[in-house]
Amino acid sequence: MHCIRPRNGEIEILISPGAETELLLNIMHKGEYFGEISLLQPNGQRTTSARARCDASLLSMSRAQFDDLLHRYPELAKSMTNVLSQR
């Protein structure tokens, strides 16, 4: 499981991509992140899908890197909670 951050481009966050019931939830831009839910859930379950709207470069963080980051900077958890509550 990975948390992803666009370096450039736009990423669509969707439910049921390609289906008649496809639902666009959000468009992520440079500096925003997605995929963190799969890092927070014990089983790493994905709740949505992502699709690039155009050419995009992405940065990726593994669960081990994420855990290490939270251990070194526990205040990051509060910031992430604020982002998640807004979504």
Side-chain angles (χ1 to χ4, degrees):
M1 301 300 123
H2 289 81
C3 183
I4 311 291
R5 179 177 173 184
R7 292 181 63 195
N8 60 46
E10 294 181 335
I11 307 297
E12 297 175 335
I13 305 301
L14 310 129
I15 294 177
S16 302
E20 278 187 41
T21 58
E22 178 177 295
L23 178 61
L24 177 63
L25 299 175
N26 201 355
I27 299 173
M28 308 306 288
H29 302 92
K30 179 179 178 178
E32 297 178 302
Y33 58 86
F34 61 94
E36 73 285 348
I37 296 296
S38 68
L39 296 179
L40 298 171
Q41 292 183 343
N43 297 332
Q45 297 293 316
R46 290 181 23 210
T47 57
T48 60
S49 295
R51 176 174 64 203
R53 297 185 95 184
C54 55
D55 288 343
S57 296
L58 306 173
L59 298 173
S60 174
M61 179 182 294
S62 71
R63 179 173 284 177
Q65 291 169 320
F66 179 72
D67 288 344
D68 182 57
L69 190 65
L70 285 180
H71 180 69
R72 288 187 292 140
Y73 303 99
E75 65 276 8
L76 182 61
K78 182 178 180 189
S79 176
M80 289 188 72
T81 301
N82 289 337
V83 170
L84 290 172
S85 67
Q86 292 173 12
R87 290 185 186 172

